[in-house]
Amino acid sequence: MTVKSNNLKYYGMNGEISNKCGDKDDVETDTDNADGTLCGWFHIRPTWLQYFNTASWLAATLGVLMFVQGLAINGFVYINISTIETRYNLSSTATGVIVSSYDVTVSVLIVFVSYFGATRNKPLILGSGAVIMGLGSLVWALPQFTTGLYEYDSGHEGDGLCHLDGNSTDATDCTKEQETLSYYFFVFVFAQILYGIGASPIYTVGYAYIDENTTHAKSAWYMALLSACSVFGPTTGFLLGAVFLTIYVDVGYQDSVTITSSDPSWVGAWWIGFLIAWVLAWLIAPPMAAFPPELPGARAFQHERGSEAHYNEDSELLKTRADFGRGWKDLWPATKMLFKNPFYVFTTISKCAMAFVVGGLLPFITKFIENQFGLTSSEAALVLAVTALPGAAGGTLFGGWFVKKARLTVRGIGIQCFLVTAIAICLVPVFLLQCPQQSIAGVTASYNVSDSSPVTEVNIENACNIDCGCHGTETYDPICGENDMVYFDSCHAGCMDTSDDGEVYYNCTCIDTGDGSSSSQAVSGTCSVYCWQLLAFALGFFVILFLGFSLYAPMSLLALRCVPYQQRAHALGISSILYRCLGSVPGPIVFGAVIDSSCLVWQEQCGKTGSCWIYDNHMFAVKIVVLSAIGCGIASLAYALAVCTYRPPPDTEIETETETEDDSRCE
């Protein structure tokens, strides 16, 4: 079908066609193929829909899709994972497999999706991915509607005090098993696999799609906006998830519940967030799929902009193969070309190193803040929210804006990344800031307050509580004695009486005040701690987040611009699988193992080791600093090598367009 050029003006140009958007031959070509640049579904292409056929609306739609992806996968999944453990009798190992199954799925699929997505209908692939991602959210929520009501333990029959007859509390019933619930492990894994299938094209095909339909300068800004959307998604997921978890899981039975949200047996309405993500994903799918494979004026941008791909012998080969990358036979040659590009290899190594640090640290940052500064989980989450949202979002926007404002070339972006990672190394020691670790009887301090010698062996049992019948480290319920020492629980403090609300304990035989008093008291919880280091850490952590996320858009731009046009989506795909396999997948495992090595007191229940109750805070911080510094150091070195080995194409004319009214019309 042939469409007149005046229709082209209406369908996406928003103004007259000028030479800025291409020469006469280009315009005629676009006109002859205008049917392929119209918005719509199948043969339905209404006139009013063409108003949205611009790069700005494309970026907005893709941004919403990235927001929904982050909301569900990096938001609701992470904040609800411990609740899932409690509700469905799953171990931490099992939930770790559930979380990892998403990255494994993406790693397996992303090469094929990005390779073939480069030459197929990109918006249709993205829209289909949104549908599959929504189905994954629905599967995540499904167990709530296929199981009975939640049955919780309201506590042990005992009162948790020291009873000299040795019957302080009843031990946990270790023979009680609910194997049927644990089978839902496979349902959650399947949901994560659906997430992986649906999300795999977003950060490869999606980035390539927006980059090839706009100018170099505006591409950087759009990348920053899209990256910001991907940051806002998880943040919103954490905030909404925290609210939903204060609602009882079986919402119709909230009034009959005898426990509160602070009780370890409490299970919140974890499933509400996934239903919201399901609806949002299916709502954004039709608008995403409505965009054409190529926006009006896109060929003019592609014709105008000079290539900045690293130059080698393969560059000339690609010029003679217009159909390169359209079949399976080209998959391995295309991949080999990427690995023969040293600039691409070194920037990918940098991305892997940064993914290792960020992916390894973020899952444990709340735990880190809690332990280093003596805060509760909610207080630590508040500190994280205040620093993370402005730091991550602001850094993401700034990184893209700076590339656009400074009109940086590939070499310039590489230098920017090198400087940022080098500065980050200097800031990593901020993690050494900590409040003085509290004195914990039998763990970090002796039960005898007059004994100032360091504890050589952790042992919460003492002569003062040996006959109390305490049940080891099954449950950590700390109390603060009037001597400002923390005790593992009221039983290990030798407390024999308590107030009706369980907030104050009396006649605690293990609390040594140094004056020979036999009626020592304690209050529930750890001793209050305040120190100036918390504010300094919050400021330093904000700067680290700002700098780290300022690399978000530039790193993606480097992967796009340092390779030939035909290989952009494939380059993002290979980069993605490598930084997942070498960075974001092993990062949490390595960080978790190193952090566990700093544990002083482990949970012991039914003969099995659970989570860590108390850490050696100094070693915790030192190991975090060492791992982070190594990762940032590798990234910085790799960026330096990338800049040194970069060879621009001969006679390249780098795009230096001036943003005028004509530019906006082209988009």
Side-chain angles (χ1 to χ4, degrees):
M1 180 175 105
T2 302
V3 181
K4 293 182 180 180
S5 59
N6 60 343
N7 286 339
L8 261 181
K9 296 174 187 176
Y10 187 84
Y11 293 141
M13 288 298 185
N14 296 326
E16 295 183 357
I17 301 174
S18 67
N19 289 333
K20 185 71 176 174
C21 298
D23 56 27
K24 182 177 180 180
D25 292 336
D26 293 329
V27 174
E28 289 176 354
T29 302
D30 285 342
T31 303
D32 293 337
N33 296 284
D35 209 27
T37 61
L38 300 182
C39 280
W41 305 274
F42 303 105
H43 297 293
I44 303 173
R45 303 178 187 277
T47 301
W48 61 267
L49 193 59
Q50 311 315 315
Y51 173 80
F52 302 97
N53 197 9
T54 66
S56 298
W57 279 105
L58 169 60
T61 307
L62 189 56
V64 173
L65 178 59
M66 290 184 174
F67 172 85
V68 174
Q69 183 268 345
L71 177 76
I73 300 173
N74 298 323
F76 291 141
V77 171
Y78 286 170
I79 197 170
N80 289 315
I81 203 68
S82 60
T83 301
I84 297 296
E85 289 183 19
T86 303
R87 179 66 179 92
Y88 295 97
N89 298 337
L90 299 174
S91 66
S92 295
T93 301
T95 54
V97 172
I98 291 173
V99 173
S100 297
S101 58
Y102 165 76
D103 282 308
V104 171
T105 303
V106 174
S107 299
V108 171
L109 293 178
I110 203 164
V111 172
F112 305 100
V113 171
S114 60
Y115 177 72
F116 290 103
T119 55
R120 268 65 175 182
N121 191 323
K122 293 183 178 68
L124 183 59
I125 293 174
L126 293 168
S128 301
V131 172
I132 298 174
M133 198 164 58
L135 182 61
S137 293
L138 183 59
V139 173
W140 255 107
L142 187 63
Q144 170 63 20
F145 304 99
T146 57
T147 55
L149 298 178
Y150 172 56
E151 297 180 5
Y152 57 86
D153 292 328
S154 58
H156 298 300
E157 295 180 3
D159 51 19
L161 296 175
C162 171
H163 294 276
L164 298 181
D165 57 4
N167 294 319
S168 174
T169 60
D170 295 335
T172 301
D173 183 6
C174 297
T175 62
K176 183 180 179 181
E177 295 181 353
Q178 296 178 322
E179 294 184 1
T180 302
L181 288 178
S182 64
Y183 290 151
Y184 279 98
F185 162 82
F186 300 103
V187 176
F188 296 133
V189 168
F190 179 61
Q192 286 289 86
I193 291 174
L194 289 175
Y195 270 164
I197 296 172
S200 57
I202 293 179
Y203 293 97
T204 53
V205 174
Y207 273 155
Y209 184 42
I210 191 69
D211 183 70
E212 66 194 27
N213 282 284
T214 186
T215 63
H216 262 175
K218 289 191 175 181
S219 173
W221 176 239
Y222 284 140
M223 291 287 183
L225 292 176
L226 294 178
S227 300
C229 289
S230 66
V231 171
F232 282 125
T235 304
T236 305
F238 273 102
L239 293 176
L240 289 177
V243 174
F244 296 148
L245 290 179
T246 62
I247 305 171
Y248 186 61
V249 60
D250 299 313
V251 292
Y253 297 84
Q254 178 116 10
D255 295 337
S256 61
V257 176
T258 59
I259 59 176
T260 65
S261 58
S262 61
D263 193 287
S265 299
W266 174 272
V267 169
W270 59 272
W271 49 273
I272 296 179
F274 291 106
L275 292 182
I276 294 175
W278 162 47
V279 173
L280 291 178
W282 281 13
L283 284 176
I284 195 60
M288 188 71 254
F291 283 96
E294 184 179 271
L295 297 187
R299 294 189 184 180
F301 296 140
Q302 298 162 14
H303 181 74
E304 256 187 8
R305 61 170 59 171
S307 172
E308 295 184 79
H310 177 84
Y311 186 78
N312 56 25
E313 62 273 14
D314 294 323
S315 303
E316 298 300 325
L317 171 63
L318 291 176
K319 292 180 180 180
T320 63
R321 287 281 310 278
D323 62 339
F324 185 83
R326 293 183 178 273
W328 286 95
K329 61 183 179 62
D330 291 330
L331 177 58
W332 176 239
T335 304
K336 284 199 301 182
M337 286 183 184
L338 293 177
F339 286 105
K340 290 166 66 177
N341 183 335
F343 187 89
Y344 175 81
V345 171
F346 284 127
T347 54
T348 300
I349 292 174
S350 301
K351 200 169 185 178
C352 292
M354 293 304 294
F356 177 85
V357 174
V358 175
L361 180 59
L362 288 186
F364 304 105
I365 190 62
T366 303
K367 182 193 293 284
F368 177 86
I369 295 174
E370 286 180 43
N371 285 273
Q372 299 301 315
F373 303 102
L375 304 179
T376 64
S377 297
S378 59
E379 291 170 340
L382 179 61
V383 172
L384 187 60
V386 170
T387 55
L389 181 58
T396 301
L397 291 172
F398 174 79
W401 172 85
F402 183 78
V403 172
K404 173 177 179 289
K405 194 69 175 177
R407 302 186 183 280
L408 297 179
T409 62
V410 163
R411 191 185 299 276
I413 298 174
I415 294 174
Q416 175 193 5
C417 293
F418 165 73
L419 293 176
V420 169
T421 50
I423 295 173
I425 298 174
C426 301
L427 293 175
V428 163
V430 74
F431 288 100
L432 292 175
L433 292 172
Q434 59 184 264
C435 296
Q437 183 155 7
Q438 295 182 340
S439 298
I440 305 175
V443 180
T444 63
S446 172
Y447 272 87
N448 183 2
V449 295
S450 60
D451 184 2
S452 59
S453 59
V455 175
T456 57
E457 183 179 356
V458 175
N459 186 10
I460 59 175
E461 302 291 338
N462 189 266
C464 63
N465 59 35
I466 195 68
D467 296 323
C468 290
C470 304
H471 288 286
T473 60
E474 182 178 308
T475 303
Y476 183 41
D477 189 13
I479 64 172
C480 177
E482 58 184 0
N483 58 356
D484 290 329
M485 182 176 288
V486 177
Y487 295 82
F488 192 82
D489 56 25
S490 56
C491 181
H492 286 91
C495 301
M496 300 183 183
D497 297 296
T498 183
S499 58
D500 292 338
D501 58 4
E503 292 297 318
V504 182
Y505 297 89
Y506 307 99
N507 299 323
C508 303
T509 58
C510 291
I511 299 180
D512 180 11
T513 59
D515 58 2
S517 173
S518 60
S519 59
S520 298
Q521 300 180 9
V523 295
S524 179
T526 59
C527 301
S528 59
V529 174
Y530 176 79
C531 59
W532 62 268
Q533 288 94 333
L534 176 59
L535 178 59
F537 171 80
L539 293 174
F541 187 57
F542 166 82
V543 175
I544 290 176
L545 285 176
F546 186 90
L547 291 174
F549 278 87
S550 71
L551 296 177
Y552 210 113
M555 284 192 300
S556 297
L557 285 171
L558 285 179
L560 287 168
R561 295 186 182 179
C562 73
V563 298
Y565 180 81
Q566 301 99 308
Q567 290 195 282
R568 291 188 171 196
H570 188 47
L572 285 177
I574 294 295
S575 173
S576 180
I577 190 174
L578 287 175
Y579 83 71
R580 289 177 188 277
C581 292
L582 301 179
S584 57
V585 171
I589 298 174
V590 174
F591 269 78
V594 170
I595 291 172
D596 282 345
S597 67
S598 303
C599 185
L600 295 175
V601 179
W602 288 93
Q603 178 191 34
E604 296 289 342
Q605 186 175 18
C606 301
K608 296 182 178 180
T609 300
S611 58
C612 180
W613 290 133
I614 304 172
Y615 291 93
D616 181 336
N617 287 345
H618 177 68
M619 292 306 300
F620 192 160
V622 168
K623 292 174 181 179
I624 288 289
V625 168
V626 170
L627 282 178
S628 300
I630 291 174
C632 291
I634 293 174
S636 183
L637 177 61
Y639 277 126
L641 293 174
V643 172
C644 293
T645 57
Y646 175 64
R647 291 177 56 197
D651 303 323
T652 297
E653 294 182 2
I654 304 300
E655 181 185 24
T656 57
E657 77 280 359
T658 302
E659 293 183 32
T660 64
E661 185 179 354
D662 288 337
D663 286 331
S664 61
R665 287 202 297 266
C666 291
E667 295 191 24

